[in-house]
Amino acid sequence: MTGSSGQKVGSIVAERLAGRHELVGVDTASGRFTRHASDINDLNEAAWRPLLEGVDAVIHFAALHAPDRETRSRSEFIETNVGATSRLLEAARHCGVRRFLLASSTSVYGRAMRPTGNKAVWVTEALVPAAEDIYDETKLAAEQLCREAFAADFTTVSLRFSRSFPEPLPSMALYRLYRGVDARDVAQAFASGLEAQLRQFEALNVSAATPFLPSDCQTLLADAPAVLQQRCPELVAAFAQRGWALPQSIDRVYVIDRARKVLNYAPAYSWRHVLA
């Protein structure tokens, strides 16, 4: 696993996997689950091979992320998120690795998540991404590399997980309804991805379960409190008790039906866990 020392999600995924598998962690930073301290940009295909001998699967988390746009150049994003991924894919195939899981993001949908009519966007994997920035572009390029690499003896899958970092409790609780996920559920998805039978490359949404329905999308955009009262009155009451405001509009809903079907993904941590 690359990015095994990641503070927000990587180390949580690593902990889950280490409980069931022998985990070989690679990261620039030291960590409990990191065996090799290396920058993926410094590893060419030949350098990867000693680390991949005898490995059954690769989970690729190491990357530059959206916040890095403030401090890293476009060329650095391309080198890290695309170039390094390409070298790792090739090395993995040559070493007989059977499975490759890419950590991606729902951010790749970009402009496609902006409502163009009078209703919120129902974000399934059928929604065609429209990258907004270099982060989205390079994540989509890495996904394309994985798509092209899929073969009968080399299973590839990309998991597009949603917001999973710490933020104010009202926001975190609300996001668990339509655009957020607990890192422990992300870990569950990756663990399932190591064993799922996949007949083709998949790019799957990984988020918390939503109580909303497609028929709610128009009202979600125009009058979110009305839908919240209908679908999750307990949350509305909890927010009122705490003096927290409800959003007046919700512009998108991440849909996880495909991940449920393909991975048997079953998110366990909802808005209730945030408030608890």
Side-chain angles (χ1 to χ4, degrees):
M1 176 181 175
T2 69
S4 51
S5 297
Q7 295 301 306
K8 294 177 180 177
V9 183
S11 60
I12 294 172
V13 173
E15 182 174 17
R16 171 69 179 260
L17 298 178
R20 302 183 178 191
H21 307 274
E22 180 184 352
L23 183 69
V24 179
V26 180
D27 202 304
T28 55
S30 60
R32 178 181 169 195
F33 305 103
T34 296
R35 190 182 300 181
H36 301 282
S38 298
D39 186 329
I40 58 172
N41 290 319
D42 296 334
L43 299 173
N44 58 25
E45 188 178 329
W48 272 118
R49 292 186 183 184
L51 306 183
L52 293 170
E53 292 297 336
V55 167
D56 300 303
V58 168
I59 299 93
H60 185 34
F61 258 81
L64 292 181
H65 301 286
D68 294 315
R69 292 171 301 178
E70 304 296 325
T71 58
R72 300 298 188 95
S73 68
R74 181 179 181 86
S75 61
E76 287 178 299
F77 265 88
I78 293 171
E79 171 59 20
T80 302
N81 292 1
V82 185
T85 301
S86 178
R87 293 191 296 274
L88 178 54
L89 272 167
E90 285 303 308
R93 292 184 67 179
H94 288 155
C95 289
V97 173
R98 304 281 298 182
R99 188 166 297 231
F100 191 102
L101 278 65
L102 176 70
S104 190
S105 168
T106 49
S107 173
V108 299
Y109 292 108
R111 292 187 299 275
M113 295 186 292
R114 296 181 184 176
T116 56
N118 62 349
K119 60 182 182 180
V121 180
W122 193 249
V123 183
T124 72
E125 292 84 354
L127 184 67
V128 178
E132 286 197 286
D133 54 40
I134 188 59
Y135 175 65
D136 299 345
E137 292 172 18
T138 53
K139 277 300 183 182
L140 286 171
E143 287 189 358
Q144 183 61 28
L145 290 172
C146 292
R147 181 178 287 106
E148 294 169 355
F150 186 94
D153 61 349
F154 191 61
T155 298
T156 58
V157 61
S158 175
L159 300 187
R160 296 171 173 171
F161 59 91
S162 59
R163 297 173 75 102
S164 54
F165 45 82
E167 50 194 327
L169 290 181
S171 297
M172 194 183 303
L174 285 167
Y175 289 154
R176 293 284 172 89
L177 296 172
Y178 65 100
R179 58 175 294 189
V181 65
D182 191 286
R184 291 167 291 185
D185 283 331
V186 176
Q188 181 213 135
F190 275 90
S192 298
L194 288 175
E195 301 176 0
Q197 298 301 311
L198 301 172
R199 298 181 179 180
Q200 62 184 20
F201 171 78
E202 298 277 359
L204 302 169
N205 294 342
V206 173
S207 196
T210 181
F212 303 136
L213 303 174
S215 57
D216 295 328
C217 286
Q218 186 168 345
T219 311
L220 277 171
L221 191 64
D223 185 9
V227 184
L228 290 167
Q229 182 61 52
Q230 179 183 10
R231 300 296 182 200
C232 42
E234 294 175 54
L235 178 138
V236 173
F239 268 53
Q241 183 180 23
R242 291 164 172 78
W244 296 345
L246 294 172
Q248 295 304 300
S249 179
I250 289 176
D251 65 350
R252 75 193 72 169
V253 180
Y254 294 149
V255 184
I256 59 172
D257 293 351
R258 184 69 181 163
R260 286 185 183 277
K261 180 179 180 180
V262 173
L263 302 181
N264 289 321
Y265 172 58
Y269 298 94
S270 69
W271 60 269
R272 291 181 175 85
H273 294 86
V274 176
L275 297 188

